[in-house]
């Protein structure tokens, strides 16, 4: 087994176990209002995606992977939500080890989402036990919620979380 395959299998097992644990957890509201430093996110061309450049908008960062079933199920609801809300930017940050896997899973399907890429270990250090993992930031970049599981973002639960960020 090559190092790449071994690394991918390890990441998949950690994400699956973490996802099972995280699915039982509720969305978390941070205890204090602080600027959140997210794991580094880059665009498809490798340039940094900065949430600071999005000041004045509500920002939802969704960490996902092409191999994650709940992630693929959640992305369409994020796209529908982003299509309805001009005050919201949704960054879908793939944690796939191979960016091409994320690009293939995303390509042409979600026109209202901004595709980004982040490293799974960095997202895990940020607090993600599994995928998907989402963070909601208000217009000033303050963290308002973390969601450690899939959610129908265009439904009432998503609306309630985004209401906190208005």
């Amino acid at each position: 087994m090559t190092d790449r395959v071994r690394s991918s299998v390890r990441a998949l097992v950690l994400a699956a176990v973490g996802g099972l644990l995280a699915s039982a957890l509720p969305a978390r509201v941070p205890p204090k209002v602080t600027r959140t430093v997210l794991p580094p996110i880059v665009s498809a061309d490798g340039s940094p995606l900065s949430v600071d450049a999005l000041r004045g908008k509500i920002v939802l960062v969704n960490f996902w992977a092409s191999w994650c079933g709940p992630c693929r199920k959640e992305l369409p609801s994020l796209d529908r939500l982003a299509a309805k809300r001009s005050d919201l930017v949704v960054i879908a940050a793939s944690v796939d080890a191979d960016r091409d896997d994320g690009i293939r899973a995303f390509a042409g399907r979600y026109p209202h989402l901004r595709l980004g890429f982040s490293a799974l270990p960095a997202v895990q250090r940020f607090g993600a036990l599994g995928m998907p993992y989402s963070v909601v930031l208000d217009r000033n970049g303050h963290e308002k919620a973390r969601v450690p599981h899939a959610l129908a973002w265009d439904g009432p639960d998503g609306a309630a979380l985004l209401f906190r960020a208005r």
Side-chain angles (χ1 to χ4, degrees):
M1 198 180 311
T2 67
D3 287 340
R4 181 183 161 111
V5 170
R6 205 172 294 126
S7 176
S8 294
V9 168
R10 187 178 320 122
L12 184 59
V13 169
L14 286 172
V17 170
L20 289 173
L21 294 172
S23 65
L25 299 173
R28 181 179 72 78
V29 178
K32 57 186 175 181
V33 176
T34 58
R35 300 256 322 135
T36 297
V37 179
L38 294 168
I41 302 170
V42 298
S43 66
D45 68 7
S47 61
L49 281 177
S50 169
V51 295
D52 287 338
L54 301 172
R55 280 266 178 107
K57 299 258 186 189
I58 297 168
V59 178
L60 193 164
V61 180
N62 176 260
F63 296 101
W64 66 283
S66 64
W67 42 259
C68 167
C71 299
R72 291 192 316 269
K73 185 177 178 183
E74 180 180 50
L75 285 170
S77 75
L78 287 163
D79 191 58
R80 288 189 300 270
L81 174 69
K84 292 189 275 187
R85 303 263 319 245
S86 62
D87 64 332
L88 174 71
V89 174
V90 180
I91 299 171
S94 167
V95 298
D96 285 290
D98 183 345
R99 284 189 190 168
D100 289 340
D101 292 339
I103 290 170
R104 277 191 296 275
F106 195 88
R109 291 180 181 88
Y110 311 108
H112 302 100
L113 306 181
R114 293 189 187 184
L115 177 61
F117 300 91
S118 195
L120 181 59
V123 176
Q124 289 170 326
R125 284 190 301 275
F126 183 68
L129 296 175
M131 295 292 120
Y133 191 81
S134 299
V135 181
V136 177
L137 306 174
D138 70 11
R139 298 171 195 278
N140 296 312
H142 298 136
E143 185 177 327
K144 292 300 180 180
R146 290 188 186 197
V147 182
H149 50 77
L151 186 69
W153 283 98
D154 57 342
D157 291 338
L161 285 170
L162 292 173
F163 183 76
R164 295 179 188 162
R166 65 185 194 315

